[in-house]
Amino acid sequence: MIQIVTDSMSDLTPYEAREMGVILLPLTVRFGTEEYREGIDISRGEFFARLRSSEELPKTSQISPDAFRKAFREILSSPDNEIVYISGSSKISGCYQSACMAREMLDTPERIEIVDSLIAISSEALLVRMAAQHAPSCHSARELADYVTELRDHQRCFGMADDLKYLVLGGRLSPLVAKVGSALSIKPMLKFEDGEILQAGLVRGRHKANAWYVEKLEQYPPRMDVPIIIAGCDCPEEAEKLKEFVERQKLQLPPIYTMGVGAVIGTHVGPGLMSISWIER
């Protein structure tokens, strides 16, 4: 059996992971001296309620090598099991490195394949979803890892930060630029590229942001056998509105699904973030 493992940078909930047969390992989030395992000790709603009222950004921590070692060892206790771990981007978290260290602590490291998604949020979730669907047809963890890597190399992920306060608190935007941007309803458009979150442009208002997403879908047409994932950070209604907007366009698109955003990305970009992810043809 090939067991897929991922981390909470994928923004999958524990329920969503269980439904796919995936083991989800949580990162931790810390408000002051209080530390919580994402999705286990603190719910998504509780996290965002605290984030909105906090004067400082909480801290997030990677999964430790020992936590990976214990999880991998338990899975490999069955002699027929292999593992494919799909990690959040190694450019924004140390989870990939921790997993590589854990693999070398075990007696049979050859039974573990580790794929750096070079992304997070809905794109990482999309890779996990496709891996779970494809796993039954694979003869080995290596075969499944190669399939995931091929998808990864053609992924697209774009987003929009809604509340500039969190970019300022995280040092990604100057207070002056944020003040001007908020006054003019200017929103920074974001993209994942080479494993990092980068600014991709500026738009004025959510409607123009939605049109910008459509332009990107036309520029990088999606594969029809892989769904599009739209994620909303503590704003499920806005995610559904964007889904409906995209579906009304005269584009040839695969099915579109929506999901939420968790603590790791939510900490740095804040509530109201929207993202859209797909695999380019």
Side-chain angles (χ1 to χ4, degrees):
M1 173 184 171
I2 303 171
Q3 177 62 63
I4 299 165
V5 179
T6 193
D7 52 60
S8 60
M9 290 173 65
S10 66
D11 288 334
L12 291 169
T13 65
Y15 173 79
E16 290 167 337
R18 284 195 301 271
E19 286 290 292
M20 290 188 287
V22 170
I23 292 177
L24 177 66
L25 301 180
L27 280 77
T28 57
V29 57
R30 187 172 64 254
F31 287 92
T33 60
E34 298 175 273
E35 188 168 274
Y36 306 92
R37 291 170 296 172
E38 183 178 6
I40 297 176
D41 304 321
I42 188 169
S43 71
R44 200 165 277 181
E46 291 168 338
F47 169 78
F48 283 112
R50 292 198 61 170
L51 180 64
R52 290 178 191 276
S53 62
S54 178
E55 294 297 323
E56 295 182 356
L57 290 182
K59 306 295 184 183
T60 56
S61 300
Q62 68 195 54
I63 302 165
S64 70
D66 192 54
F68 275 114
R69 181 183 62 82
K70 290 176 180 177
F72 291 166
R73 185 175 60 187
E74 182 174 351
I75 296 166
L76 296 180
S77 62
S78 175
D80 295 328
N81 281 355
E82 293 183 287
I83 295 169
V84 173
Y85 166 55
I86 302 172
S87 81
S89 173
S90 61
K91 300 286 186 70
I92 60 175
S93 169
C95 288
Y96 174 80
Q97 289 83 359
S98 288
C100 290
M101 292 173 62
R103 178 175 57 185
E104 299 310 312
M105 298 176 189
L106 298 170
D107 295 333
T108 54
E110 68 279 2
R111 294 165 63 192
I112 304 171
E113 297 290 339
I114 300 176
V115 180
D116 182 355
S117 74
L118 293 176
I119 212 147
I121 201 168
S122 50
S123 282
E124 184 183 349
L126 180 55
L127 293 179
V128 173
R129 176 192 289 266
M130 297 308 298
Q133 292 181 11
H134 195 67
S137 65
C138 291
H139 296 95
S140 67
R142 166 44 50 192
E143 183 181 344
L144 181 58
D146 287 343
Y147 168 78
V148 174
T149 301
E150 193 275 333
L151 291 180
R152 178 201 69 187
D153 292 344
H154 296 87
Q155 63 193 349
R156 296 288 176 181
C157 182
F158 298 94
M160 182 195 75
D162 186 58
D163 190 337
L164 305 186
K165 162 189 170 183
Y166 300 94
L167 294 175
V168 172
L169 289 174
R172 291 175 170 82
L173 197 67
S174 75
L176 178 59
V177 171
K179 185 176 180 179
V180 173
S182 297
L184 298 176
S185 295
I186 294 174
K187 309 292 186 182
M189 305 307 293
L190 308 171
K191 63 180 177 179
F192 254 106
E193 189 172 279
D194 296 327
E196 298 182 285
I197 303 173
L198 304 173
Q199 186 170 312
L202 296 169
V203 299
R204 190 168 186 178
R206 192 176 288 276
H207 181 74
K208 289 188 176 180
N210 291 350
W212 188 83
Y213 294 135
V214 171
E215 290 177 8
K216 294 302 177 185
L217 285 163
E218 292 175 322
Q219 184 178 358
Y220 308 108
R223 278 179 54 161
M224 295 301 293
D225 59 335
V226 181
I228 295 169
I229 306 291
I230 292 174
C233 190
D234 204 34
C235 56
E237 298 86 0
E238 292 300 327
E240 287 297 331
K241 288 178 183 178
L242 176 56
K243 176 178 181 290
E244 293 168 3
F245 177 84
V246 173
E247 288 175 336
R248 288 196 301 269
Q249 309 308 305
K250 295 180 180 180
L251 300 176
Q252 187 179 14
L253 300 175
I256 303 174
Y257 301 103
T258 62
M259 62 179 289
V261 175
V264 175
I265 299 298
T267 290
H268 300 290
V269 188
L273 167 76
M274 298 291 296
S275 78
I276 181 167
S277 304
W278 67 92
I279 303 298
E280 186 181 357
R281 291 178 199 166

